[in-house]
Amino acid sequence: MTFSEENYLKAIYHLTSHSNSGVSTNAIAEMMETKASSVTDMLKKLSDKDFVNYKKYQGVSLTESGKLEAKMIVRKHRLWEVFLVEKLDFSWDEVHEIAEQLEHIKSEKLINKLDDFLGNPTEDPHGDPIPDAKGRIIAIEKQLLSELVPHQSGVCVGVKDTSSAFLKYLDKQEIALGSTIDFISKETFDLSLKIKVDGKELTISNKIASNLFVKLL
Amino acid sequence: MTFSEENYLKAIYHLTSHSNSGVSTNAIAEMMETKASSVTDMLKKLSDKDFVNYKKYQGVSLTESGKLEAKMIVRKHRLWEVFLVEKLDFSWDEVHEIAEQLEHIKSEKLINKLDDFLGNPTEDPHGDPIPDAKGRIIAIEKQLLSELVPHQSGVCVGVKDTSSAFLKYLDKQEIALGSTIDFISKETFDLSLKIKVDGKELTISNKIASNLFVKLL
DNA sequence: TTTAATTTTTAGCTTTGTCTAAAAATAAAT
DNA sequence: ATTTATTTTTAGACAAAGCTAAAAATTAAA
Ligand SMILES: [Mn+2]
Ligand SMILES: [Mn+2]
Ligand SMILES: [Mn+2]
Ligand SMILES: [Mn+2]
């Protein structure tokens, strides 16, 4: 399995994880920042290897083996992110790029030992679940802060956007995983939210709220 | 810098580190398990990028920038080996292959943080020196056990052959880095050595002795 | 239901790194 | 000093992964 094949599987996995229907060539091309023609070429290759179900012009989906492969790459990515944050003291906005490289290291023994070394974490630094060695995922119920109604409270458990810009914004506002968030009121004009973060009042835009996952208290 | 370019630089570095004259195309081909024609192609590319001094038919050597690049790859390789052994509890015969992959991960910050996390080790699990962030190497004086004369004693500080087979043999004989070795006598017929390892008497072949580095007591 | 727009695929080209086979240069041996 | 052997380089081919431009299929619009 080449790096490129692994990256395509991962992209298809992420695109199909929420809407579990087939995914389009263009959607993959956009996510991978490549051209549709390149995607078509790769889909044929992945189809020959039985990692995807592909019929011309009809979108693509992962086979069971393709899904497992994808989950193992995601597992590696997220475990390495935990390592970088917990052991090497990286901040959560710096780890994604490095994990993009580390996720391609091939050694089952390595990743399982790393898993143990980290204490078998179930979530990565961004609150995303880490598949176990068999591909099982423990999904916690969480919802977007933007979907709450005033006077509800929750704990911040994840971010939807994991861009460095967004994560740095959260650092600046002192919003972190584990922060208690009380939803006070919503402004009807721009849908911005007045909230309390660990007791401290703050106003955030709806865009921010729709990228923050909370678990209701 | 591609993985392949990095591997060539590393090979040339290792081939020139002892005999610091130019190295032949064939020698590189043999070390990299590839063909001489492939080597020639790569040497042109590395020469264009000023990593090597290369003139047709006249062997090749590293430029200063090439040597520094090579050292940084060796640094990464050896630091990752320390990580695998010290933190993840791998044995010293398992780490080389994985380090061959990890040495290509690109992030200066990562490797320097890893270095600190490991306590800035100066040697890897096989006793080889780890270049620092600037490429400096602290060489300890050591010699092959096969070069000693009877009644000399030393501490085992390194291995020349790092193959899994050899390392497993040493494990079996309970010879490890740090073991005290007393050289008792040499058999004239086959040059085999009678030694004591931490007080326990043992006979080893000359081939073994010529792959063990000791520091004289 | 034709036409128009969009999406997807194909065809052909490029780069990287590899290979084999042949040619050229160097080294060794008569 | 030739001839022979070895080493090194070149020439040409191939697979992987990407691209552009054109063709084909599908979807949307008129
Ligand atoms: Mn990530
Ligand atoms: Mn993450
Ligand atoms: Mn090694
Ligand atoms: Mn080593």
Side-chain angles (χ1 to χ4, degrees), chain A:
Chain A
M1 183 96 78
T2 66
F3 285 19
S4 192
E5 289 174 327
E6 291 187 340
N7 285 334
Y8 273 94
L9 285 183
K10 193 176 51 143
I12 298 168
Y13 175 76
H14 284 134
L15 287 167
T16 49
S17 65
H18 294 285
S19 59
N20 45 336
S21 60
V23 63
S24 76
T25 302
N26 261 357
I28 298 168
E30 194 176 348
M31 169 158 282
M32 312 246 338
E33 294 180 304
T34 183
K35 301 292 152 140
S37 55
S38 305
V39 174
T40 300
D41 286 347
M42 182 55 85
L43 292 183
K44 285 185 207 155
K45 207 177 308 178
L46 293 174
S47 180
D48 288 346
K49 297 188 178 183
D50 274 315
F51 289 129
V52 300
N53 305 115
Y54 169 64
K55 256 174 266 155
K56 274 195 201 182
Y57 294 101
Q58 302 202 189
V60 71
S61 63
L62 293 173
T63 61
E64 275 310 303
S65 108
K67 187 185 274 184
L68 185 60
E69 287 291 336
K71 278 178 175 173
M72 287 304 109
I73 298 159
V74 169
R75 169 172 163 76
K76 287 191 275 183
H77 182 103
R78 292 179 181 165
L79 281 172
W80 280 116
E81 284 190 345
V82 172
F83 169 72
L84 295 172
V85 168
E86 298 292 315
K87 302 294 182 180
L88 297 196
D89 208 37
F90 275 91
S91 64
W92 67 343
D93 64 292
E94 301 176 299
V95 297
H96 181 75
E97 274 189 43
I98 301 176
E100 286 288 307
Q101 298 180 61
L102 287 164
E103 71 188 5
H104 300 293
I105 301 294
K106 275 142 193 98
S107 167
E108 248 181 72
K109 193 164 186 177
L110 169 61
I111 203 63
N112 292 332
K113 275 177 176 282
L114 180 65
D115 193 12
D116 290 343
F117 179 62
L118 299 172
N120 309 111
T122 55
E123 277 131 46
D124 84 356
H126 313 102
D128 292 314
I130 299 176
D132 73 13
K134 299 210 166 111
R136 285 177 302 230
I137 292 170
I138 301 163
I140 62 168
E141 357 80 74
K142 59 187 178 184
Q143 44 206 124
L144 291 173
L145 176 52
S146 57
E147 290 163 348
L148 302 200
V149 296
H151 304 303
Q152 283 188 302
S153 291
V155 175
C156 180
V157 294
V159 291
K160 192 172 166 198
D161 177 358
T162 59
S163 71
S164 183
F166 181 55
L167 298 174
K168 277 179 170 151
Y169 166 86
L170 295 178
D171 285 344
K172 199 172 59 189
Q173 304 292 351
E174 294 181 306
I175 301 171
L177 297 198
S179 297
T180 299
I181 294 181
D182 302 302
F183 181 12
I184 299 167
S185 63
K186 184 175 277 187
E187 172 60 51
T188 50
F189 177 64
D190 63 355
L191 302 179
S192 66
L193 290 77
K194 187 175 285 183
I195 62 174
K196 270 190 187 164
V197 178
D198 293 325
K200 207 162 87 183
E201 207 167 279
L202 193 67
T203 299
I204 60 172
S205 72
N206 192 269
K207 183 172 178 186
I208 300 296
S210 55
N211 279 297
L212 273 178
F213 285 115
V214 295
K215 181 177 168 167
L216 283 179
L217 282 175

Side-chain angles (χ1 to χ4, degrees), chain B residues 77-78 81 95-97 99-100 124 126 128 162:
Chain B
H77 182 104
R78 292 179 179 165
E81 285 190 345
V95 297
H96 182 75
E97 275 189 43
E100 286 288 306
D124 84 356
H126 312 103
D128 292 313
T162 59

